[in-house]
Amino acid sequence: MAKVLVTGGAGYIGSVCTEYLLEHGYEVTVFDALITGHRSAVDPRAEFIYGDLADREKIIDVCRNGKFDAVMHFAAFSLVGESMVDPSKYFRNNLGSAINLADAAVAGGVKNFVFSSTAATFGQPEKVPIAEYDRQVPINPYGESKLCFEKVLKWYHEIHGINYAALRYFNAAGASELHGEDHRPESHLIPIILQTAAGKRDCLKLFGDDYDTPDGSCIRDYIHVWDLAQAHELALHAPESGHYNLGTGNGLSVFEIIKAAEAVTGKKIPFEIAPRRPGDPARLIACSDRARKELKWTPQYESAEKIVESAWKWRQKFPEGYAD
Ligand code: UFG
């Protein structure tokens, strides 16, 4: 049985990926500092090690002793706005601590490395859909920190022979049966809409209705988190190291997501138009042909309703989110 070290397995995407791996016969060890993650989000079938990747000796020990076949690296800070205020926090963790992990993988002889990268590495795209080799000019320290680590992996591949896949998620959304999205404070569109539907917020602030898009609101490529998990497992068998953009290729506006949420929940979602949020590109849509072709990735959740429905089901099961 293959053994995988999942850093950030107490977070949103890491917890779902852990669940997916366990259901597909992998043995999983979660390594998490529980800064933004939740202890109760760690699947009880996984081994849990509490630790911070900033602790270089500790992660080297874990990799030396663990006999892992692969590392999946989710542990990172991911708030664009916060990164514009405190870039040091983003470069120290998303780059510096990630280098500790890469060194630990080398020291422990771990051959495969799957990295949570992001569409934010592209900045303002020159065109959509965005392909892997389109221009990457991040417009915030968050995107830059992820792009820097993509480059680190490229060199560790050449010099140390580590196989890697950098998976650039577009807008991760939805929930599995057991795990969902619970950021504190919440800043993501779908959870905020569902909190509004559940009466936990008065209304959604819609950031800008004057973009150059058909209905004036921003367009994003919402990709279901279970589909992302599938891509991680497939990336372990990638024919070669490299980068993959992960999205449905289907752009949805904020108004379309509100409409889908109203259909799924049967509730009216009150909203008010607020000023544009700094740093929001008008459109982000993935071209994920490479993942579909080379990884044989086949996303299952292609509609807004299916994605929102899974998130709503999870919210109803866990109205307050995770207990801790
Ligand atoms: N939005 C609102 N109101 C809100 C929250 C969001 O109108 O209260 C709008 C945003 O302006 C944006 C869209 O909804 O147009 C999606 O916003 P999210 O905050 O849900 O997601 P982002 O597109 O900003 O960012 C997400 C991840 C990033 C990642 C990016 C890549 O949070 O980490 O996708 O596409 F880099």
Side-chain angles (χ1 to χ4, degrees), residues 121-145:
T121 58
F122 289 103
Q124 296 279 359
E126 286 173 318
K127 60 155 187 62
V128 291
I130 305 170
E132 279 76 6
Y133 290 101
D134 285 349
R135 204 174 62 122
Q136 284 177 295
V137 186
I139 54 171
N140 50 62
Y142 165 63
E144 191 79 70
S145 67

Side-chain angles (χ1 to χ4, degrees), residues 227-241:
D227 286 331
L228 289 181
Q230 184 206 12
H232 284 75
E233 197 276 327
L234 293 169
L236 294 176
H237 319 287
E240 58 182 353
S241 289

Side-chain angles (χ1 to χ4, degrees), residues 254-265:
V254 178
F255 284 114
E256 286 171 318
I257 294 289
I258 294 174
K259 218 167 118 206
E262 289 182 338
V264 167
T265 62

Side-chain angles (χ1 to χ4, degrees), residues 77-80 117-121 140 142-143 168-172 181 183 186-193 201 203-208 211 217-222 252-254 257-258 272 274-277 279-282 284:
F77 295 129
S78 62
L79 297 177
V80 167
S117 190
T118 169
T121 58
N140 50 62
Y142 165 63
R168 298 175 185 140
Y169 318 148
F170 280 61
N171 285 57
E181 195 167 6
H183 302 106
E186 190 52 78
S187 65
H188 293 83
L189 180 66
I190 293 176
I192 286 179
I193 287 180
R201 284 177 191 257
C203 92
L204 164 78
K205 284 192 170 27
L206 193 158
F207 300 136
Y211 284 94
S217 67
C218 283
I219 291 178
R220 293 286 179 275
D221 187 333
Y222 295 88
L252 293 164
S253 71
V254 178
I257 294 289
I258 294 174
E272 64 184 35
R276 290 182 178 195
R277 193 170 62 175
D280 270 348
L284 284 175

Side-chain angles (χ1 to χ4, degrees), residues 35-313:
I35 297 169
T36 54
H38 309 272
R39 179 64 182 90
S40 57
V42 178
D43 200 299
R45 296 166 290 177
E47 182 195 4
F48 177 65
I49 299 174
Y50 172 76
D52 194 316
L53 294 173
D55 185 345
R56 185 174 166 85
E57 299 315 315
K58 179 159 189 168
I59 189 61
I60 288 177
D61 267 4
V62 167
C63 284
R64 279 216 173 109
N65 298 327
K67 304 206 172 358
F68 300 109
D69 300 290
V71 168
M72 289 191 184
H73 176 42
F74 299 90
F77 295 129
S78 62
L79 297 177
V80 167
E82 183 186 55
S83 80
M84 294 293 283
V85 179
D86 190 356
S88 163
K89 177 173 176 178
Y90 278 72
F91 287 109
R92 277 183 291 129
N93 188 37
N94 296 4
L95 180 59
S97 297
I99 292 173
N100 290 340
L101 176 63
D103 288 341
V106 173
V110 187
K111 279 285 160 234
N112 300 298
F113 200 114
V114 182
F115 170 52
S116 282
S117 190
T118 169
T121 58
F122 289 103
Q124 296 279 359
E126 286 173 318
K127 60 155 187 62
V128 291
I130 305 170
E132 279 76 6
Y133 290 101
D134 285 349
R135 204 174 62 122
Q136 284 177 295
V137 186
I139 54 171
N140 50 62
Y142 165 63
E144 191 79 70
S145 67
K146 291 279 184 172
L147 180 58
C148 288
F149 192 64
E150 285 193 357
K151 293 179 181 173
V152 169
L153 283 177
K154 180 186 142 270
W155 288 108
Y156 275 48
H157 169 63
E158 284 194 20
I159 295 163
H160 296 300
I162 284 191
N163 304 315
Y164 78 95
L167 305 182
R168 298 175 185 140
Y169 318 148
F170 280 61
N171 285 57
S176 69
E177 287 298 319
L178 300 174
H179 300 105
E181 195 167 6
D182 181 8
H183 302 106
R184 301 186 191 174
E186 190 52 78
S187 65
H188 293 83
L189 180 66
I190 293 176
I192 286 179
I193 287 180
L194 296 182
Q195 286 170 354
T196 310
K200 292 192 185 297
R201 284 177 191 257
D202 295 338
C203 92
L204 164 78
K205 284 192 170 27
L206 193 158
F207 300 136
D209 67 346
D210 56 353
Y211 284 94
D212 181 19
T213 58
D215 66 20
S217 67
C218 283
I219 291 178
R220 293 286 179 275
D221 187 333
Y222 295 88
I223 177 75
H224 196 277
V225 67
W226 195 252
D227 286 331
L228 289 181
Q230 184 206 12
H232 284 75
E233 197 276 327
L234 293 169
L236 294 176
H237 319 287
E240 58 182 353
S241 289
H243 312 96
Y244 297 90
N245 291 354
L246 300 179
T248 61
N250 213 353
L252 293 164
S253 71
V254 178
F255 284 114
E256 286 171 318
I257 294 289
I258 294 174
K259 218 167 118 206
E262 289 182 338
V264 167
T265 62
K267 316 252 186 216
K268 194 95 199 115
I269 312 289
F271 66 85
E272 64 184 35
I273 305 299
R276 290 182 178 195
R277 193 170 62 175
D280 270 348
R283 278 189 178 80
L284 284 175
I285 302 172
C287 166
S288 47
D289 291 355
R290 182 171 191 209
R292 289 170 199 256
K293 209 165 129 202
E294 292 184 17
L295 302 182
K296 313 266 180 291
W297 181 55
T298 44
Q300 307 294 309
Y301 293 79
E302 302 264 8
S303 79
E305 282 76 12
K306 278 171 82 177
I307 292 174
V308 173
E309 192 182 14
S310 71
W312 182 235
K313 266 169 81 180

